Amino acid sequence: NNLFKSSSSSRVKDLDKYELTDSEVSDVKSTFDNLDNLNKVSVYIKSKIIRIYLVLNDDVELKKVEELADSSINKISEKNLKYFDVEIFIESLNKESTVYPKIGYKHKSQTKFTW
């Protein structure tokens, strides 16, 4: 039982010392404000990962979304970026979409998302 306990607790070690502020959440969300066909943006922390969920009403050029995703992480404090990994999940409400869903991932040691 101790084996499982120690492995799970190390995943969230020092988590209480880090917080995504309301301002950071708001600034990350606002990065996507001018995106065509934007339906919804959500930002929250799950374990040691900042998760961004982007829902589009219809397809948007992936390159544009990737650029905005990379810009959005500039709204997060350097302290948090060195601690948290960041994931972005993008889906389109267009059921015929050939582009989405997509997932981007940024390890805490990187400066941009990998798709």
Side-chain angles (χ1 to χ4, degrees):
N1 198 15
N2 284 343
L3 174 66
F4 294 112
K5 196 172 194 175
S6 64
S7 65
S8 66
S9 65
S10 66
R11 179 72 184 135
V12 291
K13 184 174 188 285
D14 297 327
L15 185 61
D16 58 335
K17 296 177 184 163
Y18 296 86
E19 178 185 352
L20 197 59
T21 66
D22 290 345
S23 173
E24 286 173 299
V25 169
S26 176
D27 290 349
V28 168
K29 286 180 173 183
S30 70
T31 305
F32 300 98
D33 281 351
N34 294 325
L35 188 61
D36 291 337
N37 289 309
L38 179 65
N39 180 293
K40 181 180 170 185
V41 182
S42 305
V43 180
Y44 65 90
I45 291 176
K46 172 109 170 132
S47 186
K48 283 180 61 176
I49 301 170
I50 296 171
R51 291 200 170 157
I52 304 169
Y53 280 91
L54 200 59
V55 179
L56 306 171
N57 289 318
D58 203 348
D59 287 1
V60 175
E61 184 185 350
L62 181 59
K63 182 145 185 69
K64 177 70 176 163
V65 179
E66 288 176 347
E67 289 170 2
L68 289 173
D70 285 338
S71 295
S72 73
I73 56 179
N74 294 328
K75 311 294 186 185
I76 301 170
S77 73
E78 220 167 293
K79 176 185 175 187
N80 281 339
L81 286 176
K82 286 181 178 171
Y83 181 76
F84 292 103
D85 295 336
V86 184
E87 292 176 341
I88 184 165
F89 298 83
I90 307 159
E91 68 176 281
S92 173
L93 296 177
N94 174 356
K95 299 299 179 202
E96 307 296 315
S97 176
T98 58
V99 180
Y100 301 102
K102 288 282 188 233
I103 298 175
Y105 180 79
K106 188 199 86 60
H107 185 266
K108 62 187 172 192
S109 65
Q110 302 299 312
T111 59
K112 294 186 177 216
F113 284 97
T114 303
W115 297 89

